[in-house]
Amino acid sequence: MTRIVFFSLFVLSSAVAQQPQFEIANVHVSPRSEWVKTAANQMQGGFLNAGRYELRRATMLDMIRTAWAVDADKVCGGPNWLDYDRFEVVAKAPPTTRPEALRLMLQSLLADRFGLAVRKDTKPVPAWVLRAGKGRANLKAAAGSDAGGCQSLAPTFGDAPTGNVQCRGVTMEAFASALRRFSSGYFEGLPVVDSTGLDGAWDFDLHYPLRVVSLSRTGPADTSSNGGGVEKFTEAVEKQLGLKLERREAPQPVLAVERVNEAPSGNPPGVAAALPPLPPPEFEVASIKPCDGKGPNMAPRFESGGRVTAHCMYLNSLIHQYWGLALFEELPGAPKWLSDGSAPSFSIEAKAPRGTYVDAQGVQDRDALNAMMRALLVDRFRMKFHYEDRLVDAQTLIAVKPRLTKADPADSSARTACTRQNPPGGQGSALRLVCKNITMDQFSEQLQAYDTRISYPVLNRTGIEGAWDFTVDYDIRANLPPLPLLRGAQAAPAGEASDPSGAISLIEVIEKQIGLRLEKSKRMVRVMVLDHIEERATDN
């Protein structure tokens, strides 16, 4: 028996050694402030730029799915921190290294630095299954032979807000994967599995009713009566494409995590100096013009060829977004014109340097875009700022009459996480927050991600030890202030009365449903202070 185990480990080690490896790599834990699962703190990277490979704010689950090119739901087992702790990877590889070789290099790095071992397996999992309908599928054979994909186009608005997807040269397997990506809110976080039996590549378009909560000048409005839930989405797929989506269990190939270390091994001496430097965070050329008042507000995004565009964005919103401030966080030192109803808005057109990453599926190097936007705003609006500790109103989590379920330490599937879901039968703006195996320190740490009125980190003063499971149902409308506040004014204080529409906020349900309470208190917090900013951009 000992010989068999030794032989197996020898074969595994030999296989890893034969895979391509990074020339050198710096691996460390991400700053704790970036563990909050907000949109600004999503994983970035997984691509090569001038010989520099980066993964930023990546959980171990992120790194495994990137290294093996699988969806997160195809990774099972492992310790409960697999999708909570976050890490930074910066590595060096030849500039011409292909993506598939980079994935093998990442596999080698995970085995070497974290002791990761995985095995392939098959497991029945809850899923949405895509299958052929009774009639002929309404699909057109792809015009070309090149592998394609699906991309989300700009939504259309009218009586019923509509999402638009264009697929060209896509297989049914790739389409099922794309469905999960651009319409995850409809599928409860479950995988979408291809069971159509249709081979080859196809061209088609899909238009589906959006599930939207919109903002008006009088406050949030639920548009779900014109938009749709999963039933309307599956109806659109069936009517337009002749395909059916059904919820049931389906056997799926998975990667089972057999072992992994929470702390990476140490970095080699001099690693930072040996890595290729980052390119300067600057656009090659950029134009900033006052908003023309035509069309919707559109945040900056990469387009084909390195073009970056934004339309009618409030200057205050741009500062909050690209300096990573909470949506309604106060900006000390800001002039009155920046935050009142007359706040200026601008449209931007720019050209990113060659090599700034965006792929055919629309995956963008958002960190690079953020850095270039910060440099542009500082330059063109003559911004000056600094950071300092200030006394602010911040939230503290306390226990009132806790109603929590002790997490089961034997449940290997209970990863530490809070996830937002659409509750069964929920309409419009209804949301469910499901927390598993989470401590009160961790729950406090994540609260900023779930209520826009929480501007600063939450302190845990519950005195509750251990890990817990709990669920809360709330209405996102109660967290959204009227539209004028988006220009920079402060939101209603967290914890005050519900929205007049009757929507119940997350802060209220925390006390009503799980017996915890958020209370305000003065606390020293590090904040960004604006020293100077011009109302108009310098000339193009």
Side-chain angles (χ1 to χ4, degrees):
M1 181 64 180
T2 304
R3 292 181 179 178
I4 294 174
V5 172
F6 175 79
F7 179 73
S8 299
L9 292 175
F10 175 76
V11 171
L12 177 62
S13 300
S14 298
V16 170
Q18 291 170 6
Q19 287 188 173
Q21 299 185 18
F22 292 115
E23 296 177 23
I24 195 168
N26 184 347
V27 182
H28 57 274
V29 176
S30 302
R32 193 80 193 192
S33 61
E34 296 181 357
W35 287 30
V36 183
K37 291 193 174 182
T38 62
N41 286 346
Q42 290 178 348
M43 186 203 86
Q44 279 279 281
F47 38 81
L48 195 62
N49 187 352
R52 184 183 176 102
Y53 177 91
E54 292 193 21
L55 277 176
R56 302 180 290 274
R57 301 181 296 277
T59 66
M60 179 54 64
L61 181 62
D62 288 329
M63 292 192 283
I64 292 172
R65 66 177 177 82
T66 301
W68 276 269
V70 298
D71 291 334
D73 52 74
K74 302 291 179 65
V75 181
C76 65
N80 55 34
W81 55 264
L82 206 73
D83 195 28
Y84 197 88
D85 296 13
R86 289 178 176 255
F87 304 92
E88 310 286 310
V89 174
V90 185
K92 182 179 181 181
T96 57
T97 306
R98 296 181 61 82
E100 54 270 25
L102 288 173
R103 290 195 293 269
L104 293 175
M105 291 177 177
L106 183 57
Q107 291 177 23
S108 298
L109 180 141
L110 295 176
D112 177 42
R113 303 294 297 275
F114 291 90
L116 175 69
V118 300
R119 61 177 171 81
K120 294 182 179 180
D121 202 350
T122 301
K123 180 181 178 182
V125 297
W128 285 88
V129 177
L130 181 69
R131 65 177 182 83
K134 293 182 179 179
R136 181 182 177 88
N138 186 24
L139 306 170
K140 180 182 177 183
S145 58
D146 294 339
C150 296
Q151 59 176 331
S152 294
L153 305 180
T156 53
F157 297 93
D159 292 338
T162 302
N164 303 297
V165 175
Q166 182 184 77
C167 297
R168 296 293 182 266
V170 69
T171 64
M172 285 296 99
E173 183 180 6
F175 176 54
S177 178
L179 277 173
R180 168 79 180 278
R181 187 179 70 252
F182 62 71
S183 54
S184 59
Y186 293 96
F187 298 125
E188 309 163 71
L190 299 179
V192 181
V193 179
D194 171 37
S195 186
T196 62
L198 297 174
D199 296 326
W202 308 89
D203 295 343
F204 54 88
D205 298 329
L206 175 64
H207 311 284
Y208 60 95
L210 286 173
R211 188 175 185 270
V212 175
V213 176
S214 63
L215 292 174
S216 69
R217 292 193 176 274
T218 57
D222 182 2
T223 63
S224 61
S225 58
N226 288 328
V230 67
E231 297 85 1
K232 290 188 177 181
F233 188 93
T234 58
E235 180 181 336
V237 171
E238 183 171 7
K239 284 186 175 180
Q240 296 174 41
L241 306 181
L243 305 174
K244 291 185 72 69
L245 276 163
E246 298 176 337
R247 192 184 189 282
R248 62 174 189 240
E249 283 204 339
Q252 287 289 286
V254 297
L255 279 177
V257 178
E258 296 192 313
R259 66 173 183 270
V260 64
N261 301 323
E262 187 169 9
S265 59
N267 292 306
V271 62
L275 292 167
L278 283 169
E282 297 176 353
F283 291 114
E284 292 181 356
V285 63
S287 168
I288 302 179
K289 297 179 180 178
C291 172
D292 59 12
K294 300 176 182 178
N297 295 40
M298 294 179 62
R301 57 166 290 163
F302 282 122
E303 297 179 358
S304 60
R307 187 168 178 256
V308 176
T309 61
H311 190 262
C312 292
M313 289 293 296
Y314 293 115
L315 181 57
N316 185 66
S317 297
L318 290 170
I319 293 171
H320 274 69
Q321 179 174 350
Y322 293 108
W323 271 266
L325 307 181
L327 185 58
F328 300 107
E329 182 177 342
E330 182 181 359
L331 183 58
K336 187 174 184 297
W337 58 261
L338 188 63
S339 57
D340 65 15
S342 63
S345 59
F346 298 90
S347 295
I348 299 172
E349 291 188 13
K351 176 70 167 60
R354 184 177 180 181
T356 304
Y357 190 83
V358 55
D359 69 10
Q361 305 302 322
V363 177
Q364 304 174 2
D365 189 345
R366 301 296 303 182
D367 286 353
L369 175 59
N370 293 352
M372 289 186 285
M373 287 299 302
R374 288 194 295 269
L376 178 66
L377 295 175
V378 166
D379 177 47
R380 301 295 298 278
F381 291 95
R382 298 292 188 256
M383 283 181 61
K384 294 181 180 179
F385 61 92
H386 70 279
Y387 290 90
E388 65 180 54
D389 291 334
R390 286 203 173 193
L391 200 62
V392 301
D393 287 327
Q395 303 287 342
T396 299
L397 186 69
I398 64 171
V400 184
K401 294 181 179 179
R403 294 183 293 278
L404 310 168
T405 301
K406 191 73 174 177
D408 182 1
D411 184 0
S412 60
S413 66
R415 290 177 183 157
T416 299
C418 285
T419 57
R420 279 181 287 199
Q421 301 175 6
N422 301 129
Q427 295 294 321
S429 54
L431 284 176
R432 170 169 290 176
L433 186 67
V434 179
C435 296
K436 292 284 189 181
N437 197 52
I438 197 161
T439 68
M440 289 299 100
D441 278 340
Q442 292 167 332
F443 182 53
S444 299
E445 186 173 52
Q446 296 303 319
L447 273 168
Q448 274 188 281
Y450 306 121
D451 193 311
T452 57
R453 297 171 299 168
I454 301 175
S455 296
Y456 306 107
V458 175
L459 282 184
N460 169 34
R461 290 292 182 264
T462 62
I464 299 173
E465 302 293 335
W468 304 87
D469 298 342
F470 51 90
T471 298
V472 291
D473 292 297
Y474 65 105
D475 194 318
I476 195 174
R477 290 177 297 166
N479 295 346
L480 299 173
L483 183 61
L485 291 178
L486 294 178
R487 298 187 176 190
Q490 295 302 293
E496 290 192 355
S498 294
D499 185 89
S501 66
I504 302 175
S505 75
L506 175 63
I507 289 173
E508 289 174 307
V509 301
I510 285 175
E511 181 166 0
K512 291 179 179 179
Q513 296 180 20
I514 60 175
L516 306 178
R517 181 188 297 160
L518 279 166
E519 291 190 344
K520 276 192 173 182
S521 59
K522 292 290 186 181
R523 191 166 81 241
M524 296 297 289
V525 173
R526 194 157 187 78
V527 299
M528 175 181 172
V529 179
L530 191 59
D531 299 311
H532 178 79
I533 188 169
E534 300 288 340
E535 191 169 358
R536 294 177 176 82
T538 57
D539 292 338
N540 295 312

